[in-house]
Amino acid sequence: MHFILTLLAFLLILGILIFVHELGHFMVAKWVGMRVDEFAIGFPPRIWARKKGETTYAINAIPFGGYVKIHGESPENQDEDPRSFEKKSVWARMAVIVAGVTMNLLFAFVLLTVAFSVGFVSIGQDLQAVPGAVVKHTQVLVSDIQPGSGADKAGLKPGDLIENFVDASGSKTAITTVTQLVDFTKTAQQHGVTGTGILVNRDGKELTLQATIAPEGAPLGIYIQPYTVVRVPVWRAPAVAVKEMGIIVQVTWDALRGFASQLFEKAKLDPNVSGPVGIYQATGTATQAGGVATVFLIVALSINLALMNILPIPALDGGKLIFLIIEAIARKRVVGRRLESAITFAGFALLIGLILVLSVRDIIRLF
């Protein structure tokens, strides 16, 4: 049952993000007067299709992408139709290309704005410093663990939320702040207590682990940080959302740069970068952990999709944009349509190959 629910959540999240991206291309193409022949989620073979007006709307079997087929965009369907992609100005074509990325960023912004308005967490902001902010819930998050420490031997993991300490009689001491945790463990250490039970929340499930308290130094050997759900005033939420997006963009960009450096300079795959299988696992973890984790995953994936697509790689929006920038500077088409199509196809093949390699590695990690 867990597998089925995770799969459904994975497909739903992926479908929403792809739909939002392709909807951007579709709406701007219509707005500038282009003829759109097909709007598809996923890649063929086709599962369902319906034609309305001049456009065929389709859902395809392979869920890792989608496309908007604009008349005249490929070399095979060139004609004199004034609504053809090639017949429109280079600026109109640029607008269509960047619309998908723009929609993904706008979607992340709207989602974050709503989330902060009702209560959310931040990975880099002190939300409690926002005027009018209200703390809805606070816990302590395990961010890292010292190898060989009492926490490590007990089985604590980064990402665990500490809820209570449990003594030998079963009595619980609630932990909601970093200060409470530090005070409790230091006091236990000073009184010669050698062990304690720790009730943690891991991916939505409660576990009680038995940890040894060191006689000196760090009592448990864990690195911790506050996990605080804060509601900010509605009128301040957009600014908070923009700042949060900036933080996520920086983190994502650093990860992409690290991945490229590992791949091209050392011919290695960054272990922190995952393919579809890894995203599926992250979806299962997030949905088990609850609404906050799920919303954050959707936001992060939407921003990641935007940054990935704007990279100057053939087959991605950034690669198409490069050809249009060259055309705008030269004031004429420099790269022939068939050569551009061949370069795009080669880029697409390489991307599919990379996705397959990442997927195989993620599957191997499962075992």
Side-chain angles (χ1 to χ4, degrees), residues 157-228:
K157 295 182 179 180
D160 285 347
L161 291 168
I162 296 178
E163 296 188 345
N164 298 290
F165 283 115
V166 186
D167 63 21
S169 66
S171 177
K172 296 179 180 179
T173 301
I175 298 296
T176 59
T177 68
V178 169
T179 301
Q180 285 179 331
L181 187 146
V182 171
D183 288 346
F184 180 90
T185 54
K186 283 294 184 183
T187 300
Q189 188 182 56
Q190 290 168 2
H191 285 79
V193 178
T194 57
T196 182
I198 305 176
L199 180 65
V200 302
N201 185 308
R202 179 180 297 167
D203 301 336
K205 297 179 181 179
E206 290 188 339
L207 301 172
T208 300
L209 307 172
Q210 298 298 322
T212 300
I213 296 178
E216 57 184 21
L220 291 174
I222 56 176
Y223 297 92
I224 53 177
Q225 65 185 59
Y227 179 87
T228 307

Side-chain angles (χ1 to χ4, degrees), residues 274-286:
S274 296
V277 176
I279 297 173
Y280 164 82
Q281 288 181 283
T283 301
T285 300

Side-chain angles (χ1 to χ4, degrees), residues 72-85:
E73 191 174 11
S74 65
E76 291 75 23
N77 61 357
Q78 298 296 316
D79 56 29
E80 296 305 312
D81 188 337
R83 298 177 62 209
S84 169
F85 183 83

Side-chain angles (χ1 to χ4, degrees), residues 73-75 78 86 323 326-327 332-344:
E73 191 174 11
S74 65
Q78 298 296 316
E86 282 292 325
F323 289 121
I326 293 172
E327 182 178 340
K332 64 178 181 179
R333 174 176 277 278
V334 176
V335 181
R337 294 188 184 93
R338 294 195 178 278
L339 176 58
E340 180 181 332
S341 181
I343 293 172
T344 299

